[in-house]
Amino acid sequence: MDTVLAERGLLEAVDARTKLAGSNRMEILLFSLGTQEIFGINVFKVREVSRTPFITKAPNMPDGVEGLISLRGNVIPVLALAKIMGIAAPGEPLGGSMMVTEYSKRTLGFLVHEVDRIIRVEWDKVRAPDNVTTSGNHFITAITELADGKLVSILDVETILASTFGEAVVGQIHPLEGGHDVNVFFVDDSAVARKKIGETLDKLGVKHKHALNGLEAWTRLEGMASHAQQRGVCLADELSLILVDAEMPEMDGYVLTRNVKSDARFEGIPVVMHSSLSSEANRAMGKSVGVDSYVAKFDADILAETLRPLLLRAQRD
């Protein structure tokens, strides 16, 4: 693929994609890294695809960052995915195609061997990569299967960025007054994200539990609601806030939010969507299923200050 995706018609209008919100489906751009494996990335993260341009080498770049390019007036780093994931053979070209991605308000170029096509998948057909021997599986967040039986490994971009540039630092966060009485439930399929969310909540001084994907989260939340109902208490008195990721195996954050918002047992419990998909379109998707607030990953200060007023309100109520 040697032209911009939009010019080839592979990327539809963003507003058309917002119709996927709440449908438990997503679209994945398939690509290869010079091995027999098929990899994928959520189309929402991809701005365009082109042939690999001239890359300017720069000093003191992290390992795996090949250099910089100028893209319509913006200078962006270019990462060699095969090298970062440890599957690049010595001396082999690092990629003939480049995906330009927007992730957590950051624009990056990803070098890949070849871009294939876009497919639409059901989130309930996407599984966590447990016991999968895929090369570089540390960087894989989920696995799905094509119609011909071939597996697609979906990238954990958060882990790739943390491995390349280092993890985001959770700095000084002022504790929430009375935080020991606050309970937060959060869900994220990325180990890096879960670690950072946990650190942020610890510094706020609130109690928290988590789940690894949307379906697990909904199962546990339903269990909490049923238990509270059996005891004749209001769940909102025991659970102050639910923090959800957007992209997750088995059930995405949009369906999870819709389930919560349509169940009277969760009345009065705010839902915050915390996502690397930081465009206005994705905020609109979250709003369409009822999220109370939307915050882009990952800035611990912004996350804490988004949660603080909602948690204070929960204490008063």
Side-chain angles (χ1 to χ4, degrees), residues 111-131:
L111 296 183
V112 301
H113 182 72
E114 186 179 22
V115 174
D116 184 3
R117 66 189 187 277
I118 291 172
I119 63 168
R120 183 171 289 189
V121 298
E122 306 285 337
W123 269 117
D124 59 7
K125 304 297 184 186
V126 178
R127 298 285 182 262
D130 299 335
N131 303 318

Side-chain angles (χ1 to χ4, degrees), residues 15-226:
D15 58 352
R17 285 211 150 73
T18 62
K19 295 176 183 177
L20 290 178
S23 69
N24 213 34
R25 291 176 292 167
M26 75 163 175
E27 289 181 329
I28 301 172
L29 177 63
L30 304 181
F31 61 92
S32 68
L33 294 175
T35 65
Q36 295 300 309
E37 296 157 279
I38 304 171
F39 296 93
I41 187 171
N42 191 323
V43 165
F44 271 120
K45 290 188 170 80
V46 182
R47 284 174 46 179
E48 60 186 73
V49 170
S50 67
R51 285 186 178 180
T52 299
F54 176 78
I55 300 171
T56 301
K57 298 292 183 180
N60 304 319
M61 287 285 103
D63 190 37
V65 179
E66 295 305 294
L68 305 170
I69 65 167
S70 178
L71 184 70
R72 286 181 285 282
N74 296 315
V75 176
I76 68 172
V78 178
L79 285 63
L81 282 183
K83 181 184 287 188
I84 291 170
M85 296 175 66
I87 58 177
E92 283 194 1
L94 294 175
S97 296
M98 182 184 71
M99 302 187 304
V100 177
T101 67
E102 184 175 352
Y103 183 89
S104 297
K105 299 182 179 179
R106 191 177 200 171
T107 303
L108 302 161
F110 286 163
L111 296 183
V112 301
H113 182 72
E114 186 179 22
V115 174
D116 184 3
R117 66 189 187 277
I118 291 172
I119 63 168
R120 183 171 289 189
V121 298
E122 306 285 337
W123 269 117
D124 59 7
K125 304 297 184 186
V126 178
R127 298 285 182 262
D130 299 335
N131 303 318
V132 175
T133 57
T134 305
S135 299
N137 66 335
H138 175 60
F139 300 101
I140 303 305
T141 190
I143 301 287
T144 193
E145 187 174 349
L146 300 178
D148 60 7
K150 293 179 180 178
L151 296 180
V152 176
S153 299
I154 301 173
L155 293 187
D156 183 345
V157 181
E158 287 167 343
T159 299
I160 288 171
L161 295 188
S163 174
T164 306
F165 298 107
E167 293 184 7
V169 176
V170 178
Q172 184 65 37
I173 292 174
H174 184 67
L176 183 76
E177 186 176 351
H180 56 278
D181 293 324
V182 171
N183 288 279
V184 173
F185 183 87
F186 71 89
V187 52
D188 202 298
D189 63 319
S190 169
V192 170
R194 290 194 300 273
K195 178 182 176 183
K196 293 304 168 184
I197 294 167
E199 289 179 17
T200 303
L201 295 174
D202 285 340
K203 292 200 171 188
L204 278 171
V206 304
K207 293 179 285 188
H208 55 86
K209 297 178 181 178
H210 70 266
L212 308 186
N213 64 60
L215 184 58
E216 178 192 341
W218 179 234
T219 299
R220 293 183 61 183
L221 286 167
E222 277 197 304
M224 293 180 199
S226 295

